[in-house]
Amino acid sequence: MSTQRPETETETESAETDAEAAEGTPKERRLDEKRRRAEERERKRVEEAERVAADAERYHLKVFRYDPEVAGKQEPRFDDFHVPYETGMTVLDALIYARDEFDASLTFRHSCRQAICGSDALFINGRQRLGCQTQLSDLDQPVRIEPLPHQEVVKDLVVDMEHFYDQMESVEPYFQTTDRPDGELEEQRQSRENREKIKTSTRCIWCGACMSSCNIAAGDNEYLGPAAINKAYRFAMDEREGEEMKQRRLEIVEEEHGVWRCQTQFSCTEVCPKDIPLTEHIQELKREAVKSNLKFW
Amino acid sequence: MYEYDVIVVGAGGAGLRAAIAAQEAGADVAMVTKLHPVRSHTGAAEGGINAALREGDDWELHAYDTMKGADYLADAPAAEALTQESPEEVIQLEHWGMAFSRDDDGRVSQRPFGGLSFPRTTYAGAETGHHLLHTLYEQVVKRGIDVFDEWYVLNLAVSDEERPEDRTCHGVVAYETATGNVEAFTARDGVILATGGLGQVYDHTTNAVANTGDGVAMAYRAGVPAEDMEMIQFHPTTLPSTGVLISEGVRGEGGILYNDEGERFMFEHGYAKNDGELASRDVVSRAELTEVNEGRGIEDEYVHLDMRHLGEERILDRLENILHLAEDFEGVDGLEEPMPVKPGQHYAMGGIETDEFGRTCVDGLYAVGECACASVHGSNRLGGNALPELIVFGKRAGRHAGGEDLGDPRIPVGRTGEVEPGDVETPVELGEPWGAAAVADGGAAAEAAEAVVERTLERERERIDRLLERDEGTQHADIRAAVQRTMTENVNVFREESALKEALVDIHAARQRYRDVYVADPSSTYNTDLIQTIETRNLLDIAEMITVGALAREEFRGAHWRKQYQERRDDEWLKHTMVSWSDGSPELWYKPVVLEGEAGAYEPKERSY
Ligand SMILES: Cc1cc2nc3c(=O)[nH]c(=O)nc-3n(C[C@H](O)[C@H](O)[C@H](O)COP(=O)(O)OP(=O)(O)OC[C@H]3O[C@@H](n4cnc5c(N)ncnc54)[C@H](O)[C@@H]3O)c2cc1C
Ligand code: SF4
Ligand code: FES
C-alpha cells in the first residue's frame, strides 16, 4: 500500500457569505485569496487580449525566404510577420508562431528549445545567435532573421552544415590514449584542475555560429575554423591522453589551414552561445605549437 | 536501396551505444536519424548517471532502490541487468574520454539523487547528457559507422503474418529531408529502434520538439505491444514559462523547496518526512501541485527552489549550467533569487515491450532507450536511471543484433501462454477505427525480405504523395495543439475518470480531423511541414495509448494517481498494462510483473520517503 495520499478535495465549496469567509479557516482564507487573484488575472488576460487585438504589441519580423523548388520563392526575399508578443518570448517562439499560424512552409531547424542541441543558430539583427536563447525584447524592430552567413542556404533559414561537420571530424575528434588503467573498473585519473582547464572547450554544441562569423573561414574554405580547433584543444589539453598524442594533435592544428590562419579578430568568441573563449584557445594552441617546436628543433 | 546487417533508428545515447556494440560484434551498421546525432535530446540530460562504483555501494542496493522507486511495476531481470552492468558502462564512457566531474583524488564524482540509498549519481557538471552524447558520437566517428542524418524514418518493413509473434522486421523506409527522396534500408539481421521520448503529447514538457514518439507508434502499428504507457513521469522542477528542466542535481546538492508562505513544505506539510526534497519525483510533483491547489503556490502556479545557500563556489562547480538556464529562460539569477519551478512532463516510463536484450516479439526488431520498456522504471523512474539504461540496453541490443549469443531471456514478450487472456473491456467506445490502411504491413503475406521491403517502400511513397497532393484541409499544427491541450488538462499528475474520458473524446475528435490533414508546403526540399504532419499522426496514437491505459488502471501506483483509487492494489494490479493495435483501435491486455531476480524476490512493500 502506498503512503502518499495528497488531499483530493482541493476545491472546497466557496464560502457562502463574506462574514463566514472572514472567520474561515486559514485554508478557506487562502482559497478566497486565490479566487481573488484568479479574477484579477482573468481581468488582466482580457485586457491583454484586447491590447493584442489592437496590434499595439505585435512584433514585426522580417524573415529571409528561399526555396529552390517553389517558383514563387526561387528569388530570395524577405517576408513580414507580425507576431503577438508575450513576456519571455524568444525569437524561436516567434518563428514557431509565424509558422503555425501564418505560413506552414516557413522552414527552420530547432529541437531542444534550451540552447543545447545547437540547431537554431541564425543571423538575427546582424549577429549569429541561437533563436531559442534570444529574447525578442532584447532586439530592435523589425527583427531581421536570416540564415547563417557564409553557408549555402538549403531553404529559408536552413543552411547546409556538411562542411562544418567535415571540419569538425577532420581533427580526429575522439579520445585516444594507449595508457589505460589496469583494472576494468578503474578510471583514468584526471585532476580537478585539468578538468577545469578543458571545461569550457567541452561545451561546444556544434551550432556553427562561430564559423559563420569568421572572416578567415569565409575567405578560406579549408580553414579548420574555431569550432574544430576548439575541439582539438579539448583533447590536446586533456592530460589523460598523454604527451605523445598531444604532439600529434598539435601537428594537426598547425597544418597550413590550421591555427596560424587565425588573425585574432574575436568574432567567434563574441558570438559563441556557450561562452567558449575560442580565440584564447586558438592562441594557446599557437603558443603550445611554438613551444613544442622549440623543444624539437 | 541501402543494405546493412543492422540498422539503428535514432542517434541519441541509446542508438549510438547500440551502433557501437553491433559493430564490435562484427555487423555492418548504419544509423538513420531525423536529427544530426549531436542534436539528439540526450544532450539535454543534466543531473547524472547512476552506477554503483564505490565501496559501500553495490548493484543489489541499486536494484533494490530501483524496484522500490518503480513501486514494484518493474521487471527484476531488467532492473538487475541495469544495475549490474552500469558500473562497467560508466567506466567505459570514462575510458572514451567523457569529461566527468572529479573528486580531489582524480576519480569521477558522485552525488545523491532522489530515491537513492547511496550517493551513486555520477555526473559531468549539470550537463551530463551533453557530454555523454558527444562522447558516444565521437566513438561512432572514430569507428567510421555510416550515419544518415536528417533522414526521417517513416515506417518499419515487417512481414504480414497473422500473429505479431510470427512476423519479421526486414528494414525501414525513410525520407531524406534535404531532398524529399523516400528510400528503403534493408537490415539483414535487425532493426534497433532508439527514437527517444514522446513529451510532445503534452504542451508543458522538458522534452525537445523532436520527441514525438515515432518509434513507439511505428512499432505499435507493426503489431508490437506497448507496455505501461500510462506511466508518464512529471518532473517536479521545470521552469514555468518554458518547461526547461532544472536538474534534480539542485536538490541533490541541497536545494530547498519553499511555498508562498516560506514554508519548507516537503517536511512541514508531511509529504516526505524523511527525505524531504529528495523523495521520489512523483511524490514531490504531487506535493507541489497540492500546495498550489491549496492556495500556497506562488502566483497560484509554482513554488520556489532555492540554492543560494549552497554558495557561489559550489554552484559554479557543480550546477553552473543551471544558472545559465534560469537566466536565459526565466530571467532569474539563481545566485541572488530562488528559482520558480513547477511539474512538467518529463519521461515516458512505458514504451515498446522488450525483453532484457532489447528484443521485441517481432523477430529482428529491437527497441532501446526511452522509446523502449524493458521495464526498469515501472511506475516511477529514479533520477539518473535513464542514462545508464541507454548504454546498458543499447549495448545489449547491439550485441544481440550483431550476432552474439546472450542466452535465454527471462522477460517474456508478446502474447505468450503466461499472459492473461486479452479480454479486457476497453473502457470507452473508441469510435471509428483507423482501419487496415494505417498498418505498417498489410497486403499479402510475403516470404522474401526484399518483397516486404519493396512493398513498404511503395506504400510509403504513396502516403507521401497523397499528403503532398491534397491542397486543402486541416493543418497538423491545429491537431497537435488540440491533443497537447487535452493531455495537459486531463491526463496530468492528478487523474480523474471524467477527465480521462474527456481526453479520449478530444483525441478522437483530433483523429477524425486528421483524416483531412493536408501539407501546405508543396516543396520536396526540407519539407518540415510534411514531417510534422507525420509526427502528429504518431502523437495521436501515443496520446490514445496513454489515456486508455490510465483509464483502465484503477489504482494509485507511482506516478499514476487516480482520484477514486487512493491505494496501490497489488492483489489485482501488480501487472503491466499492454496495448496492442487491433485493426486501428487499441486493445488492452495485461501481463504479470517479474519480481523474481538473481538477488531473490522483490517483495512489494509500502513506499515511504
Ligand atoms: C531535460 C532532460 C533532462 C534529463 N536528465 C536526465 C539525467 O540527469 N539523468 C538521466 O538518467 N536521465 C535524464 N533524462 C532522461 C534521458 O536523458 C532520456 O531518457 C534519454 O536521453 C533518451 O535517450 P534516447 O537515446 O532514448 O533518445 P534521444 O536522445 O531523444 O534520441 C532519439 C533519437 O531518435 C531519432 N529519431 C526519433 N524519431 C525518428 C524517426 N522517425 N526517424 C529517424 N530518427 C528518429 C532522433 O533524431 C534522435 O537521434 C533527462 C531528460 C530530459 C528531457
Ligand atoms: S564553439 Fe560555440 S559558436 Fe562554435 S559551434 Fe561550438 S557552440 Fe557554436
Ligand atoms: S532549439 Fe536547440 S539550441 Fe535552440
Side-chain angles (χ1 to χ4, degrees), chain B residues 457-494:
Chain B
L457 177 62
E458 219 169 280
R459 294 169 66 105
E460 289 304 316
R461 285 194 170 140
E462 278 167 21
R463 170 155 81 134
I464 300 296
D465 289 345
R466 242 191 346 262
L467 282 170
L468 285 176
E469 277 160 21
R470 183 181 285 176
D471 60 6
E472 59 176 7
T474 320
Q475 291 194 338
H476 71 81
D478 291 343
I479 300 173
R480 194 184 279 214
V483 171
Q484 290 174 335
R485 205 175 319 114
T486 196
M487 292 299 286
T488 303
E489 262 167 38
N490 298 316
V491 199
N492 213 297
V493 173
F494 292 135

Side-chain angles (χ1 to χ4, degrees), chain A residues 130-142:
Chain A
L130 296 179
C132 64
Q133 205 186 25
T134 308
Q135 294 286 325
L136 272 185
S137 55
D138 289 345
L139 302 169
D140 291 334
Q141 295 199 56

Side-chain angles (χ1 to χ4, degrees), chain B residues 405-581:
Chain B
D405 181 6
L406 301 183
D408 291 327
R410 293 168 53 206
I411 300 173
V413 290
R415 295 205 204 200
T416 57
E418 297 161 53
V419 149
E420 282 185 35
D423 62 355
V424 183
E425 282 290 320
T426 305
V428 290
E429 188 53 52
L430 285 171
E432 202 182 333
W434 283 106
V439 195
D441 42 23
E447 334 60 55
E450 299 93 87
V452 175
V453 175
E454 279 295 338
R455 194 189 58 228
T456 312
L457 177 62
E458 219 169 280
R459 294 169 66 105
E460 289 304 316
R461 285 194 170 140
E462 278 167 21
R463 170 155 81 134
I464 300 296
D465 289 345
R466 242 191 346 262
L467 282 170
L468 285 176
E469 277 160 21
R470 183 181 285 176
D471 60 6
E472 59 176 7
T474 320
Q475 291 194 338
H476 71 81
D478 291 343
I479 300 173
R480 194 184 279 214
V483 171
Q484 290 174 335
R485 205 175 319 114
T486 196
M487 292 299 286
T488 303
E489 262 167 38
N490 298 316
V491 199
N492 213 297
V493 173
F494 292 135
R495 298 173 171 184
E496 293 180 36
E497 183 175 330
S498 56
L500 293 170
K501 286 186 169 159
E502 197 176 312
L504 276 176
V505 169
D506 290 343
I507 293 164
H508 288 128
R511 217 163 77 156
Q512 207 57 34
R513 290 176 72 205
Y514 193 87
R515 288 170 193 278
D516 281 333
V517 82
Y518 91 110
V519 176
D521 187 353
S523 181
S524 53
T525 303
Y526 222 92
N527 193 333
T528 49
D529 190 11
L530 174 73
I531 289 177
Q532 284 159 355
T533 300
I534 295 167
E535 287 173 343
T536 301
R537 169 70 183 76
N538 294 333
L539 287 176
L540 288 169
D541 280 340
I542 301 284
E544 188 170 41
M545 286 189 264
I546 294 171
T547 313
V548 166
L551 190 52
R553 183 173 280 276
E554 299 183 336
E555 67 160 350
F556 167 23
R557 183 184 298 271
H560 178 66
W561 180 96
R562 284 288 302 269
K563 185 169 183 173
Q564 291 108 309
Y565 309 98
Q566 289 292 307
E567 266 180 340
R568 194 177 84 195
R569 290 166 57 201
D570 288 336
D571 49 338
E572 197 186 339
W573 286 102
L574 206 53
K575 58 191 184 187
H576 297 292
T577 306
M578 311 298 293
V579 192
S580 284
W581 173 268

Side-chain angles (χ1 to χ4, degrees), chain A residues 164 203-211 227 230 268 271-274 276 278:
Chain A
F164 177 82
R203 294 212 171 126
C204 173
I205 54 174
W206 298 44
C207 71
C210 53
M211 188 82 144
N230 173 69
C268 55
V271 301
C272 175
K274 289 291 162 187
I276 304 172
L278 294 164

Side-chain angles (χ1 to χ4, degrees), chain A:
Chain A
M1 205 185 71
S2 219
T3 49
Q4 301 84 43
R5 294 187 200 181
E7 285 290 327
T8 55
E9 301 304 324
T10 49
E11 292 298 332
T12 47
E13 289 298 306
S14 72
E16 289 295 314
T17 66
D18 286 348
E20 252 181 60
E23 292 160 11
T25 63
K27 178 168 167 179
E28 277 163 0
R29 279 202 302 276
R30 279 197 305 273
L31 284 171
D32 270 0
E33 175 59 17
K34 176 178 172 173
R35 276 187 287 273
R36 197 188 56 72
R37 280 193 303 235
E39 273 163 30
E40 198 171 298
R41 267 204 315 279
E42 177 62 16
R43 210 187 58 242
K44 277 200 195 131
R45 198 190 60 73
V46 171
E47 274 173 23
E48 174 73 9
E50 279 165 6
R51 214 156 45 88
V52 167
D55 260 14
E57 270 285 335
R58 288 205 170 224
Y59 256 73
H60 182 184
L61 315 181
K62 279 189 123 30
V63 184
F64 179 89
R65 306 300 302 271
Y66 164 74
D67 185 338
E69 299 269 331
V70 176
K73 276 169 70 184
Q74 278 161 348
E75 206 46 57
R77 60 161 203 257
F78 281 87
D79 276 356
D80 294 293
F81 294 102
H82 297 269
V83 172
Y85 180 71
E86 271 178 49
T87 319
M89 198 168 195
T90 64
V91 170
L92 179 63
D93 295 332
L95 283 173
I96 291 174
Y97 188 94
R99 179 196 69 201
D100 289 353
E101 302 294 323
F102 304 135
D103 182 354
S105 74
L106 177 59
T107 305
F108 47 93
R109 288 193 182 96
H110 67 298
S111 187
C112 69
R113 304 164 303 147
Q114 55 187 78
I116 194 69
C117 75
S119 61
D120 66 341
L122 296 164
F123 199 54
I124 301 166
N125 278 1
R127 186 183 194 265
Q128 287 80 358
R129 320 174 199 242
L130 296 179
C132 64
Q133 205 186 25
T134 308
Q135 294 286 325
L136 272 185
S137 55
D138 289 345
L139 302 169
D140 291 334
Q141 295 199 56
V143 179
R144 269 172 86 89
I145 307 175
E146 298 165 75
L148 286 182
H150 309 312
Q151 260 117 314
E152 198 186 321
V153 179
V154 177
K155 175 174 165 185
D156 292 351
L157 302 171
V158 174
V159 294
D160 187 348
M161 293 288 287
E162 263 337 291
H163 177 62
F164 177 82
Y165 296 149
D166 288 346
Q167 298 303 74
M168 289 302 270
E169 287 172 16
S170 71
V171 297
E172 300 184 8
Y174 33 80
F175 192 71
Q176 305 180 56
T177 177
T178 41
D179 189 22
R180 283 279 154 83
D182 297 338
E184 211 171 284
L185 284 180
E186 265 305 306
E187 56 256 53
Q188 313 154 97
R189 309 251 171 153
Q190 180 186 26
S191 66
R192 288 170 74 110
E193 296 70 37
N194 187 247
R195 175 177 189 269
E196 209 53 39
K197 182 168 180 58
I198 61 164
K199 188 164 92 178
T200 55
S201 71
T202 60
R203 294 212 171 126
C204 173
I205 54 174
W206 298 44
C207 71
C210 53
M211 188 82 144
S212 160
S213 76
C214 173
N215 280 327
I216 317 302
D220 172 4
N221 206 33
E222 285 176 59
Y223 175 44
L224 285 175
I229 295 175
N230 173 69
K231 191 80 178 168
Y233 175 99
R234 178 253 172 277
F235 290 111
M237 297 300 169
D238 192 320
E239 65 188 13
R240 292 172 297 169
E241 274 199 347
E243 262 317 299
E244 208 174 303
M245 201 46 221
K246 181 166 176 177
Q247 289 310 319
R248 197 167 127 77
R249 296 209 177 268
L250 288 175
E251 278 162 30
I252 295 176
V253 294
E254 237 209 323
E255 68 191 13
E256 201 189 337
H257 297 276
V259 285
W260 298 108
R261 292 277 152 146
C262 168
Q263 299 180 2
T264 44
Q265 294 177 345
F266 285 94
S267 53
C268 55
T269 306
E270 267 162 37
V271 301
C272 175
K274 289 291 162 187
D275 298 330
I276 304 172
L278 294 164
T279 312
E280 210 174 286
H281 287 169
I282 299 173
Q283 291 303 97
E284 203 175 334
L285 284 175
K286 285 183 189 169
R287 283 197 297 273
E288 290 279 331
V290 171
K291 263 200 292 186
S292 68
N293 281 346
L294 286 176
K295 208 167 14 183
F296 287 110
W297 300 102

